[in-house]
Every structure is written in C-alpha cells, then in structure tokens.
Amino acid sequence: MFTLLTICIAIAVALVSLLVVVFCIECLAALLPQPKRLAPHERGRVAVLLPAHNEEAVLGETLSTLNQQIRKGDRVVVVADNCTDATVSIAYENGAEVLQRHDPVNRGKGFALRVGLAHLRQDDQPFDAIVILDADCQVHVGCIDQLASAVVASSRPVQASYLMTPGGGSLAKQAISQFAVLVKNHVRPRGLRRLGLPCLLTGSGMAFPPNVAWELPLEGGHIVEDMQLTFDLLVAGHPSRYCEAARVDAVLPPNDDASGQQRTRWEHGHLQVLTSQVPRLLLASLKRADLRIAAMALDLAVPPLSLLVMAWIATGAAAAGIAWWEPRPLFVLLAAGGLLAVCIASVWWRFARHAIPLRRLASAPAYALAKAPMYLKFLAKRQRSWVRTARE
C-alpha cells in the first residue's frame, strides 16, 4: 500500500512541477531583450468589428479612442446584440456603422461576430486586416496601426496586449486580479514570442488576415470563445502572434460580486478548454511533428495561477506526509516552489512594481485558497453559458 501511495504522490508531484516549470520558462523568457524589430509595413485598409450587448455606459469612450486611429477607407462596425439600452444611438453618434441583432436564444460574442463578418465580407474593396475589439476597451494610440501592420507582415492572426485597470471593490483583490491578468495576457505571451512560439488569443485586440477572418470557426455561446478559437486556428495552420506594441485596456468589474462572476466565467471556461483541448493538441503535434502545437498544449495545460498555487500546496502536503520514508518528491516540490516564487517576484519587479504595490499582493495566497469553492463548483456545477459581466 505504501508503494502504491508513493507512486501516486510522485506522479502528482511530477505533474505539478512540470506545470510550474512551463509557467516559469514562459515568464522568465519575457525578461529577455526584445529581438530586432522588422521594418514596419504599411497597414492598408482595416475593418474594426465591435460586438456589443447593452454597452451604453462604455461604448462612447471606446469609439472615441478608436476613431482617432481610423483612416479614410477604414470601416468601424458595431454589432448591437440583443440590446435594450442606448447602445445603438451611441454607436451612430460616434460615426460607426450599426448592425442590430435580436435573438434571445442564441446570445453571445460568437453569434454577433458571425453577423459582423458576414456583413463586412460583402464589401467590394478588399481589406488588409480585420480587427476585433470588445466594446468596453480603451484603445491606446497606435494600436490599430500596429495590429494591422503585424497582420500584413506575418499573414497570421495577431493578439494585442490586453490588460486590466482597477474598477472598484477591494483594493487588494483588484491588485491581485490586475497582476494575474498582466501575467496571463502580457508576460506569458511575451515570453512565448521571445521563444518563437504562438500565443493565446485573449479576446479584445485580435486581428486577422481577411482570408482567415472569413473562415473563423466561431462557436457561438462558448464562455471563452477566444481561447477556443486559438486552438481551432492553430490546428488549421494559423498560429497566433503576440504584438506587445499594440495595447488595449479594460476596467475590472466595479464590485466584488461582479468580479467573482467574471472570474468564474474566465476560469471555468479555461478549465473546460484545458480538459478538452490538451489531448487534442498533443495528438495533433504528434501526427504533424509540430513543436508549436506541443508548446501550446503545454501552455494551455498550465491552470490559472491561483489553482496552480493551490495544487502546489496540496501536493506539498501529500509529499510531506510520505517524506519520512520517501523524501524525494518533497525535495522536488520545494525546488519547484522556490522557482515559482523567484519567477513571480521577478515578473512583479520587471513589469508591475510601479503600478501594483507589493503590499497589496501579500494576501495572494489567502485569496487563492478562498477561490477553492469556485474550483469545486467546476466539478459539481460548472458554468457553461455566457453571462455578461455587470457594468456600473
């Protein structure tokens, strides 16, 4: 019995340690100097597509930051999806084309994008890039030019740096969430870019060559459409590329309840895609002998940072329980924990120390453990349908 228990714990320790190493390689690679940039390409004609559901509180500001970057010949299309507020009138006031969609059964970003892309495809003049933005984002100066130029240069899908700013509620929780998004949406993609590997699509600030955009395998209603889209495109031969020079920001939810709702959607969706897509990607990488697909399978296998820390704590407790007759799993896990601590500290120092005070991250371990019910809910009653996050 002791032998079987030891083997099971050793396997769990090896798996958790592997995930920690993958996470740390990506993060530490982000600290490397930026490779030499290619000469900029003329961006050509661009279409910007914004799906929107009851976004009257934020759409005007989003279009205001966007319109400063729109050139003659470009198009901005807002798909007002099942809207019951002033979204449509605000879009018109800010010079956008508006498509209104009413279907209370088939709701969500994927359905809205299908309608918008079908509309744009009817244009007689060709586009050089199709950019997709969420309706609640601030589009930083130069973002559209950078995204479109990267698409033209690479003929690949491109993802901007999509980050979060504080929106209200607990300052400590906001800081931890802001840091977690920074690591997931900027640091790890930057590291993958340094390693010459593709990255995840993270939702807003995605850009596509037209031939790819017209054939996007949009799965309407999926709670993390963008993550699922990454792997569908990767298997189809269209790996995504990270463009850190292009940046869009969104505001974190205005209170703890809304933040919890958003976090549940993100993390349940991540776990759903993880469990369904990692085997698919590993099999595809073996069939094609493609290391890029294998690398993305490993990237996807890394769970949200809170869950990774919880897994390390749980396996550490189990390894400590058998340490008196087999200490090696505990030593391996302690080494992985030390590496993880050094990695997170280095990332904070390099990317976040000016914006996120260290004292507000001190409660991160307790915050991670407090999310245990959310992860247990994934096993018993996971969130499967798209739910809009509350705005102010």
Side-chain angles (χ1 to χ4, degrees):
M1 179 178 176
F2 282 166
T3 301
L4 179 60
L5 178 62
T6 301
I7 291 173
C8 292
I9 293 176
I11 291 173
V13 166
L15 178 59
V16 171
S17 299
L18 172 63
L19 298 178
V20 168
V21 169
V22 171
F23 175 86
C24 291
I25 287 174
E26 293 177 352
C27 290
L28 294 176
L31 305 177
L32 297 174
Q34 183 168 322
K36 184 178 180 181
R37 288 187 179 181
L38 300 175
H41 286 66
E42 175 56 41
R43 74 170 178 83
R45 186 171 182 243
V46 176
V48 183
L49 186 59
L50 297 93
H53 171 66
N54 287 349
E55 300 288 4
E56 65 179 4
V58 292
L59 181 60
E61 184 176 355
T62 299
L63 291 173
S64 177
T65 61
L66 174 61
N67 285 338
Q68 300 172 34
Q69 304 179 47
I70 295 302
R71 300 182 186 178
K72 184 178 180 180
D74 294 344
R75 292 177 65 181
V76 177
V77 177
V78 173
V79 182
D81 188 55
N82 292 289
C83 291
T84 58
D85 65 354
T87 294
V88 171
S89 60
I90 290 172
Y92 278 128
E93 289 169 5
N94 284 273
E97 302 175 46
V98 181
L99 301 175
Q100 297 189 58
R101 179 178 178 275
H102 300 285
D103 187 340
V105 177
N106 298 313
R107 301 170 61 240
K109 187 174 180 178
F111 295 110
L113 289 177
R114 287 182 190 177
V115 171
L117 289 169
H119 176 72
L120 288 171
R121 195 171 186 178
Q122 298 172 9
D123 197 306
D124 294 332
Q125 300 180 34
F127 296 103
D128 294 280
I130 311 295
V131 177
I132 295 175
L133 294 170
D134 284 350
D136 61 342
C137 290
Q138 179 185 15
V139 188
H140 283 235
V141 175
C143 176
I144 301 302
D145 287 351
Q146 292 285 350
L147 284 174
S149 296
V151 166
V152 172
S154 65
S155 298
R156 290 167 52 182
V158 175
Q159 174 62 53
S161 178
Y162 178 34
L163 303 180
M164 296 287 169
T165 57
S170 165
L171 292 178
K173 289 182 179 180
Q174 291 274 308
I176 293 168
S177 295
Q178 187 182 0
F179 182 73
V181 172
L182 172 72
V183 172
K184 179 179 179 292
N185 287 4
H186 174 62
V187 177
R188 291 174 63 190
R190 175 182 159 115
L192 289 169
R193 181 80 178 92
R194 297 292 189 272
L195 296 171
L197 296 170
C199 71
L200 285 174
L201 296 171
T202 54
S204 190
M206 304 182 293
F208 303 92
N211 64 304
V212 175
W214 306 146
E215 305 300 329
L216 286 179
L218 296 169
E219 187 176 335
H222 198 289
I223 62 174
V224 282
E225 302 102 330
D226 319 300
M227 186 179 287
Q228 179 67 46
L229 186 60
T230 303
F231 305 112
D232 290 338
L233 289 174
L234 179 62
V235 172
H238 304 295
S240 304
R241 179 174 181 264
Y242 183 56
C243 179
E244 64 181 283
R247 178 173 169 180
V248 294
D249 286 349
V251 179
L252 286 165
N255 56 61
D256 292 344
D257 288 342
S259 180
Q261 180 189 71
Q262 184 184 71
R263 181 58 57 185
T264 298
R265 175 168 62 85
W266 284 351
E267 300 201 14
H268 280 200
H270 185 164
L271 294 175
Q272 286 178 37
V273 175
L274 187 159
T275 53
S276 65
Q277 296 301 309
V278 168
R280 173 195 178 200
L281 292 174
L282 289 174
L283 183 60
S285 70
L286 291 173
K287 286 183 177 179
R288 303 183 187 185
D290 192 332
L291 291 177
R292 295 179 304 177
I293 300 179
M296 287 307 296
L298 289 174
D299 176 75
L300 175 61
V302 177
L305 185 55
S306 295
L307 185 55
L308 182 61
V309 171
M310 289 171 59
W312 181 85
I313 293 171
T315 51
I322 65 168
W324 66 276
W325 78 77
E326 178 51 83
R328 285 176 292 183
L330 182 59
F331 292 154
V332 170
L333 209 60
L334 289 174
L339 177 62
L340 182 61
V342 170
C343 174
I344 292 175
S346 300
V347 165
W348 173 80
W349 179 262
R350 172 65 179 81
F351 298 103
R353 71 182 190 273
H354 298 301
I356 305 174
L358 185 60
R359 67 182 183 276
R360 289 185 182 159
L361 297 179
S363 60
Y367 174 74
L369 291 174
K371 292 169 69 176
M374 181 185 69
Y375 295 123
L376 292 174
K377 189 177 179 181
F378 175 78
L379 300 175
K381 190 179 179 182
R382 70 185 63 175
Q383 183 171 327
R384 297 180 183 274
S385 58
W386 175 82
V387 178
R388 177 182 178 273
T389 302
R391 312 277 191 237
E392 282 202 90

